[in-house]
Amino acid sequence: MRNGDLGFWQAVQTPPGPAPAPGLEADLEVDTVIVGGGYTGLWTALALAERDPSHRIAILEAEHFGFGASGRNGGWLSAKPVGKRRVLADRFGRDRVVATERLLLEAMRAIPSILEAAGHPIDAHPGGWLQIARTRAELERCEAAVADARSWGLDASRVRILDAKAVRARIGVAGAVGGISSPDNVRIDPMALINGLCALADAANIQRYGDSRVVSISKRAVATARGHRVHARHVVVATEGYSSALPSRSRQLLPLNSAMIATRQLTTDEWEQVGWQGREGIAGSAHTYFYGQRTPDDRIILGGRGKPYRFGSAFDDRGRVDAATVRSLEALTTELFGIHDLRAEFAWCGVLGVARDWTPFIDADPDASIVDVGGYAGQGVTASKVAGEAVAAIIGGDPTGGGLPWVRPRPRRWEPEPLRWIGANGLYRAYSLADAIEARTGRTSVVAKAADLFAGR
Ligand SMILES: Cc1cc2nc3c(=O)[nH]c(=O)nc-3n(C[C@H](O)[C@H](O)[C@H](O)COP(=O)(O)OP(=O)(O)OC[C@H]3O[C@@H](n4cnc5c(N)ncnc54)[C@H](O)[C@@H]3O)c2cc1C
């Protein structure tokens, strides 16, 4: 088994990728410097270049482009709502929330075409998503989620309940009692998207620097670990789940860890048994959530369980997954699909950024000299394009970022340690317990309701 780095996504990239990004070796002056070479940094740079091709842009990445969540995610390019609708509607009104969801849908549809047209396809398959319920309590939550979606204007063409038979007709998951189906997801290769965006950035004369960790951020300048300074009118901080390592941002975004495995390739007979011909993105409805996709070379990728949070907002060791988590993901895959020997051939993990109110933010000072962006809570593949365009609009002189409600002051900070560690890991335990209770009783457990209240979800 290959454990760590970008896992399966690294292994399947066909060279040559984009030109390697050199380290920054001297001081530099540009119009905008972006810290972080993931989707947010790249989409922001591309949106700025499109608005004004003469705008000088540099992106500084601590490791290599796509090192973060962008190069190692589950490949759901989805139009699911990002963050909590209520949080945004209370402040900006319902229409702005509905408009944001329309932007996400447009971005989901546009991204594969943009990359395809530029000659950098991302292995896109528009199979939608399928959320599977395996207990009565899970099904009730699915029904409530669909009723809520209706109240936000999503009709049956966007999201609907499936009964057990309809789920089984699409995928053979043991114990499925129903679920939710939506066409709003495209399965992609996340690292191919990074490679394509890097190539587009190079073509737009955006300066990309790898191996260039930023250690201090001030108005109109950043400094790297090697002692070089980049002066700029605008500094964009796009470090998402890694922001806690930056001075003055240690409690802004909680780095939640998510682990994934890719199984061996399944045989034709096994696929006959599993079905999954539509290659939908799949997810569970338990509180300890799982998500997955069927790869083009016919493996199952499953993500979820693991060590959700490390003390002091620390990060994983270059994507390595502990043996217990690998075993638990293998056991879950076997349990779901009823196929023995579904061992992991790849395992990897990474961090995603969660704001205290579980909702993204784009926080800019009045002259946009520093813009902080992130907090997609594990749903940034599509959202990063929407956010990047809003950041570019802010830098272009529109402080509302085109009216996107994510443009708001950053939410209150997370609690100091050890409260943060106790809270995050205690909640995960509570959700695991709630799942076990629900499997027995069939009703949503009060433990889960209490945990939701405590988490602010
Ligand atoms: C395992 C996993 C599965 C996921 N699955 C999905 C999914 O299927 N669908 C979905 O929508 N979302 C998913 N997400 C979330 C999604 O990948 C992220 O929301 C998105 O990639 C965030 O992009 P980003 O550019 O903001 O951050 P990142 O991609 O994390 O990029 C931040 C970059 O900043 C760099 N950096 C950090 N500190 C510094 C510094 N001091 N100086 C310079 N550079 C620095 C990092 O090295 C990193 O490359 C998943 C996340 C994980 C971890």
Side-chain angles (χ1 to χ4, degrees), residues 21-174:
L24 183 71
E25 298 295 352
D27 289 1
L28 190 67
E29 189 177 334
V30 288
D31 296 307
T32 296
V33 61
I34 298 169
V35 185
Y39 298 146
T40 303
L42 285 159
W43 281 121
T44 300
L46 288 167
L48 282 168
E50 194 177 341
R51 282 170 165 260
D52 175 5
S54 69
H55 195 88
R56 295 164 306 161
I57 306 158
I59 310 178
L60 302 186
E61 162 57 46
E63 304 273 349
H64 59 79
F65 279 69
F67 171 84
S70 301
R72 55 180 83 229
N73 61 69
W76 277 50
L77 174 68
S78 97
K80 281 186 123 181
V82 181
K84 293 180 69 183
R85 287 166 164 147
R86 231 340 104 218
V87 167
L88 298 174
D90 286 350
R91 187 179 173 110
F92 298 98
R94 177 193 154 82
D95 289 354
R96 300 265 292 274
V97 176
V98 171
T100 305
E101 292 181 15
R102 214 167 27 243
L103 285 179
L104 286 165
L105 186 64
E106 284 165 15
M108 179 199 85
R109 289 177 177 154
I111 290 170
S113 322
I114 293 169
L115 276 297
E116 176 89 42
H120 306 287
I122 55 173
D123 250 337
H125 182 90
W129 57 264
L130 180 62
Q131 183 177 324
I132 299 159
R134 299 171 72 220
T135 65
R136 182 69 226 158
E138 290 180 15
L139 188 57
E140 277 169 14
R141 286 201 295 277
C142 287
E143 286 162 355
V146 170
D148 185 54
R150 292 277 178 278
S151 76
W152 290 93
L154 299 190
D155 64 21
S157 71
R158 299 283 308 281
V159 60
R160 67 194 167 91
I161 285 287
L162 297 185
D163 63 17
K165 200 165 148 219
V167 171
R168 267 200 306 276
R170 286 164 67 165
I171 187 164
V173 163

Side-chain angles (χ1 to χ4, degrees), residues 69-308:
S70 301
R72 55 180 83 229
N73 61 69
W76 277 50
L77 174 68
S78 97
K80 281 186 123 181
V82 181
K84 293 180 69 183
R85 287 166 164 147
R86 231 340 104 218
V87 167
L88 298 174
D90 286 350
R91 187 179 173 110
F92 298 98
R94 177 193 154 82
D95 289 354
R96 300 265 292 274
V97 176
V98 171
T100 305
E101 292 181 15
R102 214 167 27 243
L103 285 179
L104 286 165
L105 186 64
E106 284 165 15
M108 179 199 85
R109 289 177 177 154
I111 290 170
S113 322
I114 293 169
L115 276 297
E116 176 89 42
H120 306 287
I122 55 173
D123 250 337
H125 182 90
W129 57 264
L130 180 62
Q131 183 177 324
I132 299 159
R134 299 171 72 220
T135 65
R136 182 69 226 158
E138 290 180 15
L139 188 57
E140 277 169 14
R141 286 201 295 277
C142 287
E143 286 162 355
V146 170
D148 185 54
R150 292 277 178 278
S151 76
W152 290 93
L154 299 190
D155 64 21
S157 71
R158 299 283 308 281
V159 60
R160 67 194 167 91
I161 285 287
L162 297 185
D163 63 17
K165 200 165 148 219
V167 171
R168 267 200 306 276
R170 286 164 67 165
I171 187 164
V173 163
V177 295
I180 309 179
S181 155
S182 166
D184 296 347
N185 183 54
V186 181
R187 178 232 89 83
I188 63 154
D189 174 334
M191 195 57 203
L193 177 54
I194 279 286
N195 288 339
L197 292 177
C198 286
L200 287 173
D202 294 348
N205 290 324
I206 292 159
Q207 302 179 52
R208 295 190 296 117
Y209 297 96
D211 194 15
S212 300
R213 180 173 300 279
V214 168
V215 289
S216 87
I217 297 175
S218 52
K219 242 176 164 13
R220 305 190 196 287
V222 302
T224 67
R226 296 216 192 110
H228 300 301
R229 291 181 75 76
V230 180
H231 299 275
R233 280 187 291 137
H234 310 283
V235 177
V236 178
V237 184
T239 47
E240 239 262 330
Y242 300 86
S243 305
S244 57
L246 289 168
S248 76
R249 287 167 176 79
S250 62
R251 285 159 54 199
Q252 183 171 294
L253 286 167
L254 188 89
L256 265 197
N257 194 279
S258 191
M260 310 205 76
I261 59 165
T263 66
R264 62 168 170 80
Q265 289 167 295
L266 275 67
T267 63
T268 312
D269 284 352
E270 287 168 338
W271 281 117
E272 293 264 300
Q273 177 187 327
V274 172
W276 207 351
Q277 299 302 325
R279 295 181 189 265
E280 303 89 337
I282 60 159
S285 308
H287 302 290
T288 48
Y289 176 81
F290 73 80
Y291 55 98
Q293 65 149 283
R294 175 176 172 179
T295 64
D297 71 346
D298 282 337
R299 300 165 194 270
I300 294 172
I301 284 186
L302 209 74
R305 306 178 172 187
K307 285 205 168 86

Side-chain angles (χ1 to χ4, degrees), residues 218-420:
S218 52
K219 242 176 164 13
R220 305 190 196 287
V222 302
T224 67
R226 296 216 192 110
H228 300 301
R229 291 181 75 76
V230 180
H231 299 275
R233 280 187 291 137
H234 310 283
V235 177
V236 178
V237 184
T239 47
E240 239 262 330
Y242 300 86
S243 305
S244 57
L246 289 168
S248 76
R249 287 167 176 79
S250 62
R251 285 159 54 199
Q252 183 171 294
L253 286 167
L254 188 89
L256 265 197
N257 194 279
S258 191
M260 310 205 76
I261 59 165
T263 66
R264 62 168 170 80
Q265 289 167 295
L266 275 67
T267 63
T268 312
D269 284 352
E270 287 168 338
W271 281 117
E272 293 264 300
Q273 177 187 327
V274 172
W276 207 351
Q277 299 302 325
R279 295 181 189 265
E280 303 89 337
I282 60 159
S285 308
H287 302 290
T288 48
Y289 176 81
F290 73 80
Y291 55 98
Q293 65 149 283
R294 175 176 172 179
T295 64
D297 71 346
D298 282 337
R299 300 165 194 270
I300 294 172
I301 284 186
L302 209 74
R305 306 178 172 187
K307 285 205 168 86
Y309 176 74
R310 290 173 164 79
F311 190 83
S313 292
F315 309 125
D316 48 271
D317 174 19
R318 304 194 78 81
R320 278 188 68 79
V321 186
D322 61 285
T325 299
V326 174
R327 276 198 303 275
S328 116
L329 285 168
E330 285 177 331
L332 178 63
T333 316
T334 300
E335 179 191 319
L336 291 173
F337 298 103
I339 297 172
H340 290 287
D341 191 27
L342 266 186
R343 63 189 185 280
E345 289 194 347
F346 299 88
W348 67 101
C349 67
V351 291
L352 44 103
V354 182
R356 189 63 185 87
D357 61 7
W358 294 80
T359 303
F361 63 86
I362 301 173
D363 182 5
D365 54 10
D367 54 357
S369 54
I370 302 186
V371 188
D372 277 75
V373 48
Y376 314 115
Q379 283 183 245
V381 177
T382 315
S384 52
K385 180 174 192 297
V386 173
E389 278 161 10
V391 174
I394 292 170
I395 290 172
D398 169 7
T400 73
L404 190 73
W406 302 344
V407 180
R408 61 192 184 115
R410 65 196 78 182
R412 77 179 166 93
R413 294 182 301 166
W414 285 92
E415 288 73 7
E417 296 291 22
L419 287 180
R420 203 156 71 240

